[in-house]
Amino acid sequence: MIYKTILASLTALVIAATTSFAQDSHKSGPFKGAKANTGHVTHTTEGGNSVLTLSDDFKAPDTPDPHWQIVDSSGNTYLLQKLSIKGGKMNRKITVPKYVPDIAKVQIWCAFAETNLGEAAFEQPVK
């Protein structure tokens, strides 16, 4: 009898944890743009921080200086980390600064040419 109670409690805990995690994950629509037009971005909350992660099928645009850029629901833009880093690698995951109130869109911004290479929008702004 005790074994069944423990098993039922553990099952309920796993279901609650899975449901809680699913609520903290948001997937954007696909990237659309002239140079960044593959993949999507996922927003999660990790340790109280907003984290953005590019999908595995995202391909970095072949431009001189691509960066992460966020657009909030009021239209304010926040230029963040450089996308490409030393050794031909990519910042596929970033922590969003606390001063960003919400995230409506994620853009890949070329700081050299000062142009939007592509963007992915969330259905609803995420916090």
Side-chain angles (χ1 to χ4, degrees), residues 1-2 10 20 35 47 73 78 100-101 105 115 122-124:
M1 186 62 128
I2 293 175
L10 287 174
S20 174
K35 297 281 186 177
S73 59
Y78 305 88
V100 177
K105 297 178 187 177
T115 189
F122 288 98
E123 193 172 309
Q124 299 281 331

Side-chain angles (χ1 to χ4, degrees), residues 43-116:
H43 171 266
T44 55
T45 303
E46 297 176 13
N49 294 314
S50 286
V51 176
L52 295 172
T53 306
L54 293 169
S55 62
D56 291 337
D57 60 341
F58 177 84
K59 293 181 183 148
D62 186 23
T63 58
D65 200 17
H67 283 69
W68 286 83
Q69 182 163 280
I70 293 174
V71 180
D72 69 17
S73 59
S74 298
N76 300 310
T77 58
Y78 305 88
L79 187 61
L80 303 176
Q81 287 95 332
K82 190 170 181 170
L83 185 64
S84 54
I85 53 177
K86 199 173 189 178
K89 296 186 180 179
M90 190 175 9
N91 275 327
R92 297 191 79 80
K93 184 176 182 177
I94 64 165
T95 300
V96 178
K98 297 277 188 195
Y99 58 81
V100 177
D102 60 33
I103 305 162
K105 297 178 187 177
V106 175
Q107 296 178 335
I108 303 301
W109 180 261
C110 180
F112 177 78
E114 296 184 353
T115 189
N116 181 0

Side-chain angles (χ1 to χ4, degrees), residues 32-48:
K32 295 178 182 176
K35 297 281 186 177
N37 51 25
T38 59
H40 64 276
V41 65
T42 302
H43 171 266
T44 55
T45 303
E46 297 176 13

